[in-house]
Structure formats: C-alpha cells, structure tokens
Amino acid sequence: MNNINVCNKCDLIVEHIVLEKNKLAHCPRCNSLLYTNTLFSISTILALSITGLILVIIANVFPMFTITLLGVEESATLIQGAWVLLDKKFYFVGLLVIFCSFIAPFLFLSCLVQVCLLLLTKRNTPQLILLLKLVKFFTEWSMLEVYLVSFLIAVFKLSDIADIELQLGLLSFVSLMFISSLIMYGLNLEFFWQKMEKNAKR
C-alpha cells in the first residue's frame, strides 16, 4: 500500500513515484494535489505547532475587534460570537464555528506536538498510531481561512455604520492561519510513519 496513492477528490488510484525535493505530485484526472516532497524537520514542525497552540488560545481569549456605535463600545471574541449564534438558536452554525475555529485547530496542534515529541524521543507508544491518525483527520477540518474571510466581510459591512478597531485576537487569528498554512505546506505524514517504523526497529 505504500506504493500507491488514492486521490482525495476523485478516488483515482495512482502509483507512488519518488519525487525530487520541493516537487509536487498531482492527480492526472482532476489535477488535485496528491503528495509532496517538501517537508520540514520534526523539530521545525514541533516549534510551529507550539507557536500555533499559543496563538489558538490568544485568538479565542482576547477580543478580535471593538465596535463603537452611537457612543457605545463593545468588544467581541470568537467564542462570544459562537455563543450569540447558539443563543439565537443557530445551533448547527454555532457549533460549527466553535469546532472549526477552536476545537479542531487546538486538537490538531496538540496531537502534532505529542507526535513530534514521541518521535524525537524515540518512544513508540501505542498512542502514537492513534495520534497520527487524528492528525490526518483534523487536517481535513481546518477551515480558518473560510472563517477569516467571512469575518472580514462582516467587518467591512459594519464599517459603514460603526467605528471598528481591530484587536489582538484578530492579529493572533491571522498569525494562526499563517502558521497552520506553513505546517500544512511542510508536513509530510508519510515521513512521520517512516520515522516511527525506523524507531521501532532499533
């Protein structure tokens, strides 16, 4: 199974070919990205993941912006926005916001940190396989870019009727999106599996 890849978009089975460094492999049918040979070291992924975890907490604890309308000033965080949706009985949207903006990124980065630490310390625990599968799962639920675009559209519309001051939470959220994109660009889970198998042989 290590010699084939299955396209996530059209399910085409493609033979796995060894790529040169910094090259990409695309599906011949739908042109979706299959895999890359661009990867960061485990230490680099660990450093980025820890940075991302800190940013997740800051982005959800501190206000994203402050609105001043008719002399009344209000601040809002990501979590507060989700609770407003839940309070208005938009349960599905509210839960989706909480999951995609906090739970999924936090669990993804937490699992990635644990995987990196276990691999660097050469400890092949039974949890390592589960953690690697969870990392794979949560990579497909990272929708920070979609949430950020939706948020910026809302801010743009509100700017006509109120004064809006951007806060630390938004800066942290944008930084988190950048860090997450960087991790996704340099993360090669196949390399992690190979590292685990190599450690098991020692």
Side-chain angles (χ1 to χ4, degrees), residues 30-200:
C30 66
N31 203 39
S32 298
L33 179 65
L34 290 175
Y35 58 93
T36 75
N37 195 26
T38 301
L39 54 87
F40 293 152
S41 67
I42 297 177
S43 298
T44 301
I45 294 294
L46 175 61
L48 290 172
S49 300
I50 293 174
T51 303
L53 276 175
I54 296 172
L55 290 172
V56 166
I57 296 172
I58 295 176
N60 283 273
V61 170
F62 288 88
M64 296 192 73
F65 59 90
T66 299
I67 298 179
T68 304
L69 180 62
L70 301 176
V72 179
E73 188 176 284
E74 290 287 343
S75 297
T77 65
L78 276 173
I79 299 299
Q80 286 175 336
W83 280 117
V84 169
L85 289 170
L86 293 173
D87 188 57
K88 297 294 184 180
K89 300 187 186 305
F90 294 105
Y91 300 117
F92 178 76
V93 178
L95 291 174
L96 190 62
V97 168
I98 293 174
F99 181 78
C100 293
S101 65
F102 177 71
I103 296 177
F106 183 82
L107 291 178
F108 167 67
L109 293 168
S110 298
C111 291
L112 199 51
V113 167
Q114 294 178 69
V115 167
C116 291
L117 289 174
L118 288 172
L119 291 176
L120 287 173
T121 55
K122 300 178 181 179
R123 295 168 55 197
N124 280 14
T125 65
Q127 291 78 22
L128 183 54
I129 295 177
L130 175 61
L131 288 169
L132 282 168
K133 290 181 178 179
L134 287 174
V135 168
K136 173 64 176 176
F137 172 78
F138 284 117
T139 54
E140 300 172 0
W141 279 96
S142 181
M143 301 182 183
L144 297 177
E145 298 86 352
V146 176
Y147 191 87
L148 180 62
V149 170
S150 303
F151 169 78
L152 292 177
I153 292 173
V155 168
F156 179 77
K157 290 183 177 180
L158 286 172
S159 63
D160 293 333
I161 60 174
D163 294 325
I164 299 177
E165 182 180 352
L166 304 181
Q167 299 291 346
L168 179 61
L170 179 61
L171 177 61
S172 300
F173 192 84
V174 173
S175 300
L176 173 62
M177 187 185 69
F178 174 75
I179 292 293
S180 297
S181 299
L182 201 57
I183 291 174
M184 297 301 295
Y185 174 78
L187 179 64
N188 190 329
L189 288 179
E190 183 180 348
F191 171 72
F192 278 53
W193 285 103
Q194 291 173 355
K195 181 68 175 177
M196 183 187 70
E197 293 174 358
K198 186 178 179 181
N199 289 342

